[in-house]
Amino acid sequence: GGGGISCVLQDGEVFEKAGVNVSVVFGQLSEEAARQMRSRGKSLKAAEDGKLPFCAMGVSSVIHPKNPHVPTMHFNYRYFEIEEADGTVQWWFGGGTDLTPTYLNEEDAVHFHKTLKEACDKHDLKLYPKYKKWCDDYFYIKHRGERRGIGGIFFDDVDSPSKEEVFQFVQSCAKAIVPCYIPIVKKHCHDSFTPEEKLWQQLRRGRYVEFNLVYDRGTKFGLLTPGSRIESILMSLPLTARWEYMNTPPESSKEAEILEVLRNPKDWVH
């Protein structure tokens, strides 16, 4: 039950593909989705008929710019509620914001992370380092041995200290999205680029696709939910991407520089 709104911009002047999903859905948790949640520590007591009523709501966006010097950006903030057999309601918030550049610009990386850190620090100084590490660990493409991007913040299953306090924290994170990203877009959207740089962008987008289809929990949950809208779930995929056999950039190249950071995450704010 429920539904949502998807808005997608395609072939824009600055953004090759950019989408926003707002969803409010409810129904019965599928066995596979419940199994996934239990595997990360959720104790869900289903009714005798196996039913677990749930409701979930969230806003998410993925922006893939045309210019390879403008990074891809993703954010998602969500609230989840499950009613167990005895009437107990489990609730939690999750989400995050992360940046996926084609080429490394240290100044941009510092700006992005500092803006997110300021949003977290308003609530608790321990949150940014904890959620920064969680982001680096979550957006990990195991079969490649590299992260999807240079991270940001990511958290899930947050249900304390109180619903109102967690919601205020999530709102602070959401309000940081425009100031952490739009200045970077404006700074680079008119940069000149070569066909070789555009090719490298396509190869990096291939990695983005690999992560989203193989590992991303949100994508998996959507695909496992009966009656879900597939076009909205796959909105996060880029318009174009490329997979070349055995592509290895030359040592000391700009392409090798970003790979080094993806393999060994950096502390951008200290």
Side-chain angles (χ1 to χ4, degrees):
I5 299 171
S6 295
C7 293
V8 176
L9 167 70
Q10 200 162 282
D11 284 321
E13 286 185 26
V14 176
F15 302 135
E16 191 169 290
K17 186 179 172 193
V20 181
N21 284 337
V22 179
S23 63
V24 180
V25 295
F26 58 87
Q28 302 296 333
L29 208 59
S30 70
E31 281 183 33
E32 183 59 36
R35 196 177 304 127
Q36 243 191 56
M37 289 176 183
R38 289 188 180 106
S39 73
R40 63 176 205 261
K42 289 279 172 206
S43 61
L44 303 173
K45 302 180 207 74
E48 285 182 23
D49 57 7
K51 288 189 172 178
L52 272 169
F54 82 92
C55 74
M57 56 202 73
V59 56
S60 63
S61 178
V62 180
I63 296 174
H64 294 289
K66 277 191 168 176
N67 194 310
H69 298 295
V70 182
T72 284
M73 193 273 294
H74 154 261
F75 78 83
N76 167 260
Y77 291 102
R78 58 191 178 273
Y79 172 75
F80 216 95
E81 206 171 83
I82 290 179
E83 185 181 337
E84 297 184 274
D86 60 3
T88 306
V89 173
Q90 283 203 47
W91 62 267
W92 65 89
F93 287 89
T97 307
D98 66 286
L99 198 70
T100 307
T102 301
Y103 288 96
L104 182 63
N105 181 302
E106 296 223 359
E107 195 178 84
D108 296 345
V110 169
H111 165 79
F112 184 80
H113 276 268
K114 272 194 169 171
T115 309
L116 294 177
K117 181 180 185 296
E118 285 165 15
C120 293
D121 286 355
K122 287 177 194 169
H123 300 269
D124 188 334
L125 296 178
K126 295 177 192 153
L127 295 180
Y128 170 76
K130 179 182 177 182
Y131 294 158
K132 192 265 185 197
K133 183 182 184 307
W134 198 335
C135 189
D136 288 334
D137 292 344
Y138 178 74
F139 290 105
Y140 182 57
I141 310 171
K142 291 176 196 162
H143 61 270
R144 298 285 190 183
E146 62 192 46
R147 276 83 195 158
R148 188 178 77 175
I150 61 161
I153 55 171
F154 180 84
F155 55 89
D156 208 353
D157 302 325
V158 179
D159 56 7
S160 65
S162 72
K163 192 181 287 189
E164 188 51 44
E165 285 173 281
V166 183
F167 185 40
Q168 285 174 4
F169 164 66
V170 169
Q171 288 179 80
S172 294
C173 294
K175 285 173 184 170
I177 292 160
V178 169
C180 79
Y181 182 58
I182 297 303
I184 298 172
V185 177
K186 289 181 174 176
K187 181 177 165 187
H188 296 293
C189 65
H190 299 300
D191 287 3
S192 60
F193 58 89
T194 65
E196 290 75 24
E197 288 169 333
K198 187 68 182 172
L199 171 62
W200 180 243
Q201 181 194 50
Q202 300 294 293
L203 292 167
R204 296 314 309 163
R205 283 190 182 159
R207 298 286 206 269
Y208 202 94
V209 172
E210 287 176 29
F211 177 84
N212 279 34
L213 293 184
V214 177
Y215 300 113
D216 187 68
R217 281 215 304 264
T219 305
K220 282 183 175 180
F221 178 79
L223 295 175
L224 292 170
T225 303
S228 57
R229 189 167 185 271
I230 301 302
E231 286 296 318
S232 296
I233 296 162
L234 299 182
M235 174 273 288
S236 64
L237 300 183
L239 190 61
T240 57
R242 188 177 174 101
W243 287 265
E244 282 190 7
Y245 184 69
M246 300 291 283
N247 181 286
T248 308
E251 282 185 36
S252 304
S253 64
K254 285 283 185 188
E255 291 77 14
E257 180 187 35
I258 187 75
L259 279 181
E260 173 59 28
V261 170
L262 299 179
R263 288 167 184 158
N264 302 289
K266 282 182 70 167
D267 177 352
W268 298 103
V269 295
H270 297 104

